[in-house]
Amino acid sequence: MPPSKTPDIDGFNTDPQQRWSLIHTYSKAVDSHSAHLELRCWGLLAITSLGVAGLFALLLAFSRVPGAEEFIPWPLQFFEKGLVIHVILSFVVWFLSILGALASLVAYRLSDGWLRWRALGPVSLICAFIATLLLFIPAWMDRGEASLNNYVPVIIDEIYYAGLIILALSISLVVIRMFVNLFGRKGPMDPITISILAAGLMYLLSIVCFTIAYLKIFDNSSIIAMTPALNEDIFWGGGHLLQFVNVSLLLAAWYFLGGLSIGRPWVHPNIMNSAIIFLAASSLLGPMLYIKYETFSVAQTIGFTNLQYFLAPPTTLLAIAGIYTILKFQNKLDIRWNNTVVHCLLLSIIVFFIGSLFGLFVDGTDTRTPAHYHGVIGGINLAFMGLFFGLLLPILERGLGDTQTIYIFTILIQRNFARLSTWLYAVGQILHSVGLFWAGGYGAPRKVAGADQGIEALGASLGLYLMGIGAVIAVIGGVMFIFLVSRALLKKV
């Protein structure tokens, strides 16, 4: 049965004529206690990991500010281990938790609520929470070396590796369940469903790449001590494919937020499907690079690096087509400019492409590289913030406002707080990225902090101060977002 009340989405109620909207159909498919509990748990895992990552981001930013080590007695190897925890929670656990939530939604919708292999959902969640705890513990133990390799940084410790394996298994289970429910499906296929299915496929391909790389290293069954160089080899290929997963989730978020913003499909479904098909087809090149080139050779490394260029066409196509729709039909469309999801959408596009532009100038040695990926990740995070406000909370009937239980003044405050959190995070991330890019232009090295940076140029110092200011602003916005969403997920309904 459909929900007893229409989801409240920042003042926008779904219209029965908008048959393309996923709100009503998803609400119907997940109208059960078990489905709501599963989605709430994925949401709580995502928010918890993001909150802890944000705390470490603030501490790391302070540790990079010149002279900070004179006022704060940082623990031994704090920057290196703290950086690993920040990245693994904000760039891996947070993104994969969103994949877990959306894969669950798609599975329920494909099955029209009659889910097959239902038990994989709770098992996957239990594994995900255990994995996150195991990933966090080694940072506070007096053992293990921080390996600041790209994409999936590591603390070289058995507990940490166990956490990575369990997390990979967790997301694999929920993705496999989604594909099981694809066969003999009862629900419709639409661009967002297709994009989440594509993200699931890309995720499994990344696991294949991780596995191949690991087996290539340990093919003679000899005991080899793990080193940062070996971790780089293991996670380099699969890490690049995880970026395809993230972009597929980003496109799904843009399509949904755009449609919710203008009251009709943001772009033609064929354009969206073409972008997703291009992205999925490009990701198939990943495993092939292990066949074409000698494993871990320079040619293979460059091959994986060049895969990033396949991310540009689908994101650019969708952004241009969507903005064109808004500009061409703005007088005919009922654009709800005061809706938080509109702000999430537009700011996501701006921040994402600022980060993408910075990517044209990176060389991997200075802070222009983190300037690039902080911008890109910030853009994706803004889209996911919009998904919480516009999709996940409403279908769980946990929107920020409920006129039956909260005074209208309080509702307006919460919605303004939601919008303010979005702007603070976006502006903070822009300043943070610009500061890093500025400092990197003067040679500020990446992955080091404090006096170890060896900074002499005034321009580099000014850039790092700007980075620190931006980090504080972004963290304030993130804390507001986490507070609002956590409160909504934990409240009784």
Side-chain angles (χ1 to χ4, degrees), residues 18 66 247 309 343 354 374-375 403 468:
Q18 297 172 352
V247 169
Y309 297 111
H343 296 254
I354 287 176
H374 273 92
T403 56

Side-chain angles (χ1 to χ4, degrees), residues 371-384:
H372 156 61
Y373 64 69
H374 273 92
V376 170
I377 293 172
I380 297 175
N381 286 344
L382 284 162
F384 290 169

Side-chain angles (χ1 to χ4, degrees), residues 154-406:
V154 169
I155 296 176
I156 302 176
D157 186 278
E158 293 83 353
I159 296 177
Y160 191 94
Y161 285 113
L164 287 179
I165 294 172
I166 295 174
L167 179 64
L169 174 63
S170 166
I171 304 303
S172 297
L173 291 177
V174 76
V175 167
I176 290 171
R177 187 184 65 172
M178 176 176 62
F179 282 108
V180 167
N181 286 275
L182 172 63
F183 301 102
R185 63 182 176 87
K186 299 177 182 179
M189 293 284 285
D190 56 72
I192 295 183
T193 298
I194 293 173
S195 65
I196 304 305
L197 287 168
L201 172 63
M202 298 171 200
Y203 172 78
L204 295 178
L205 289 176
S206 72
I207 298 299
V208 169
C209 288
F210 291 140
T211 303
I212 292 175
Y214 178 84
L215 294 177
K216 289 289 186 180
I217 292 176
F218 296 94
D219 58 354
N220 59 358
S221 300
S222 60
I223 298 177
I224 302 176
M226 293 301 297
T227 65
L230 289 179
N231 283 313
E232 184 76 14
D233 288 338
I234 291 174
F235 294 109
W236 181 256
H240 278 83
L241 287 191
L242 285 180
Q243 312 323 304
F244 282 79
V245 175
N246 299 334
V247 169
S248 184
L249 297 176
L250 172 69
L251 296 183
W254 281 357
Y255 185 84
F256 174 81
L257 297 177
L260 192 62
S261 300
I262 65 177
R264 54 159 284 173
W266 190 46
V267 300
H268 194 285
N270 289 342
I271 294 178
M272 176 67 172
N273 291 337
S274 298
I276 294 298
I277 291 173
F278 177 86
L279 195 65
S282 302
S283 70
L284 295 174
L285 297 174
M288 294 182 183
L289 293 177
Y290 286 100
I291 299 174
K292 182 177 181 180
Y293 298 111
E294 181 182 353
T295 306
F296 313 133
S297 64
V298 174
Q300 186 190 72
T301 299
I302 294 175
F304 276 112
T305 301
N306 290 337
L307 287 180
Q308 65 183 325
Y309 297 111
F310 290 100
L311 302 177
T315 51
T316 303
L317 172 64
L318 205 66
I320 292 176
I323 293 174
Y324 174 79
T325 299
I326 293 177
L327 294 178
K328 182 177 181 180
F329 300 105
Q330 61 179 328
N331 295 328
K332 299 179 181 179
L333 296 173
D334 183 19
I335 303 177
R336 297 158 178 82
W337 294 108
N338 65 336
N339 193 326
T340 301
V341 299
V342 179
H343 296 254
C344 287
L345 171 66
L346 297 179
L347 291 173
S348 170
I349 294 173
I350 292 171
V351 176
F352 180 85
F353 280 103
I354 287 176
S356 299
L357 177 64
F358 287 168
L360 299 176
F361 303 93
V362 302
D363 64 2
T365 60
D366 57 53
T367 55
R368 287 177 295 181
T369 297
H372 156 61
Y373 64 69
H374 273 92
V376 170
I377 293 172
I380 297 175
N381 286 344
L382 284 162
F384 290 169
M385 291 166 70
L387 280 185
F388 270 97
F389 291 137
L391 174 62
L392 294 177
L393 293 184
I395 66 172
L396 293 174
E397 300 180 3
R398 294 171 177 273
L400 299 182
D402 187 339
T403 56
Q404 296 178 355
T405 59
I406 306 177

